[in-house]
Each structure stands twice: as C-alpha cells, then as structure tokens.
C-alpha cells in the first residue's frame, strides 16, 4: 500500500488542513469500515442518498448523529439471545459505527428504515451569503442579497444625463 507525505503541502498552503486530513484518513482504510455494506448515490445536483444494509436492526437500535461536517451512524442490538438456542447463526448482529465526512452546507433531511435498508437523505443547502451576487459598478448603491436580474443600463444613462441638465 502506498503512503503519501502531505508535510510539504502543509508548509506551503493555508486553510487546506481539513482537506489533507481527509486525504490522509482515506489512505488508512480499516477493515471495520467494510461492515455494514452501503451505497452512496447522487440523486440530483444538490441531493445525495446513503443506503446501508442493516438487516436485523430496528429503528430504536440505530442512531444517526450529524455534528458539523460528520455524519455518524451507529447500531447496537438490544435483543437478548438467552431465550433462543441457535443451531446456525449467519445473520451478523454485531454493533457497528460508520462515519461519513460531509461537504460544507450538506445536512441530513430525512432517514427511513425499510426491509433491512437504512436510507439517509442528504441535501446541500448553500446559504444566501455564499451564493454569487451581482455587484453594481460606479454607483453608491449597496449590493444587497442576490441580484441576477439584467442591468437597466439605458435607463441609468438617461437619468444621469437628465440630472446633469438640471444641474447646469
């Protein structure tokens, strides 16, 4: 397995330490992260879905927690097996802990457990402050919010000429 040294990048960049930590973590894949199996799909431009196979777990045995940019999914069986005598046990009922690193502004919008599959819906919701906005040129007008409407250049030129004529 290859190992990468990110030290030169830490010395020459500012503010990318989270990215380098994620890359470093991705190179250290642990065998425990292979269970339970899961899929990650892109549903729309800003919507994602994580589907995990959690057969044998009920809703009250699975916990979803989002803290900042980390989604943590944990499962702990509460059933007591003292009453049952198994001849063969092939369904994995072991506890699990799976974490997912989320991009900025991605949040969980819903979760459902159906037919042994846990489905977690995610959506990227970029705040208005981070969306592109139009900045007026040459005026004392403040740029407020997001204005993607076409500029009325002809009207402003006529107004300015009218103002100059009144001043003269």
């Amino acid at each position: 397995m290859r190992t990468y040294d990110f030290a030169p990048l830490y010395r020459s960049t500012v503010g990318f330490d989270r990215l380098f930590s994620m890359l470093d973590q991705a190179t250290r894949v642990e065998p425990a992260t292979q269970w339970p199996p899961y899929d990650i799909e892109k549903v729309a431009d800003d919507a994602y879905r994580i589907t995990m196979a959690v057969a044998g777990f009920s809703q009250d045995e699975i916990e979803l927690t989002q803290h900042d940019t980390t989604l943590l999914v944990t499962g702990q069986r509460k059933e007591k097996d003292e009453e049952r005598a198994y001849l063969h046990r092939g369904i994995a009922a072991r506890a699990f802990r799976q974490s997912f690193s989320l991009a900025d502004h991605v949040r969980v919008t819903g979760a459902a457990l159906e037919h042994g599959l846990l489905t977690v819906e995610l959506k990227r919701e970029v705040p208005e402050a981070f969306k592109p906005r139009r900045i007026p040129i040459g005026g004392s007008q403040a740029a407020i919010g997001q204005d993607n409407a076409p500029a009325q250049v002809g009207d402003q030129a006529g107004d300015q000429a009218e103002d100059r004529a009144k001043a003269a």
Side-chain angles (χ1 to χ4, degrees):
M1 179 174 202
R2 295 182 185 180
T3 58
Y4 297 98
D5 182 20
F6 295 111
L9 297 173
Y10 281 114
R11 289 192 298 260
S12 61
T13 60
V14 177
F16 291 96
D17 42 334
R18 181 172 171 243
L19 174 67
F20 298 138
S21 296
M22 285 174 44
L23 289 170
D24 191 37
Q25 182 183 13
T27 60
R28 287 184 270 129
V29 176
E30 300 173 14
T33 62
Q34 302 299 321
W35 195 86
Y38 61 89
D39 293 335
I40 300 174
E41 54 185 306
K42 186 172 184 173
V43 180
D45 284 341
D46 290 333
Y48 305 89
R49 179 180 300 134
I50 298 172
T51 306
M52 298 180 75
V54 291
F57 285 86
S58 63
Q59 287 182 352
D60 61 330
E61 296 173 330
I62 298 173
E63 183 177 308
L64 292 167
T65 308
Q66 182 178 0
H67 183 267
D68 200 22
T69 58
T70 302
L71 173 63
L72 181 63
V73 183
T74 56
Q76 180 70 41
R77 293 287 304 254
K78 295 180 182 175
E79 185 179 337
K80 296 194 175 29
D81 291 330
E82 299 166 0
E83 305 165 1
R84 298 181 181 178
Y86 289 99
L87 298 178
H88 171 74
R89 187 153 190 185
I91 298 174
R94 63 182 181 261
F96 66 89
R97 179 183 174 107
Q98 183 65 260
S99 67
F100 298 93
S101 294
L102 306 177
D104 293 333
H105 314 298
V106 172
R107 69 177 192 91
V108 177
T109 58
L113 180 62
E114 191 173 319
H115 304 297
L117 295 175
L118 173 68
T119 304
V120 181
E121 302 291 336
L122 303 141
K123 184 165 178 68
R124 181 190 318 263
E125 295 177 343
V126 180
E128 287 294 323
F130 292 108
K131 290 183 179 177
R133 61 188 174 95
R134 190 158 182 264
I135 313 290
I137 300 173
S140 60
Q141 209 176 20
I144 300 172
Q146 182 177 356
D147 179 19
N148 290 329
Q152 301 274 335
V153 177
D155 293 342
Q156 289 177 349
D159 291 343
Q160 289 175 355
E162 197 175 299
D163 290 340
R164 278 186 251 147
K166 287 180 184 177

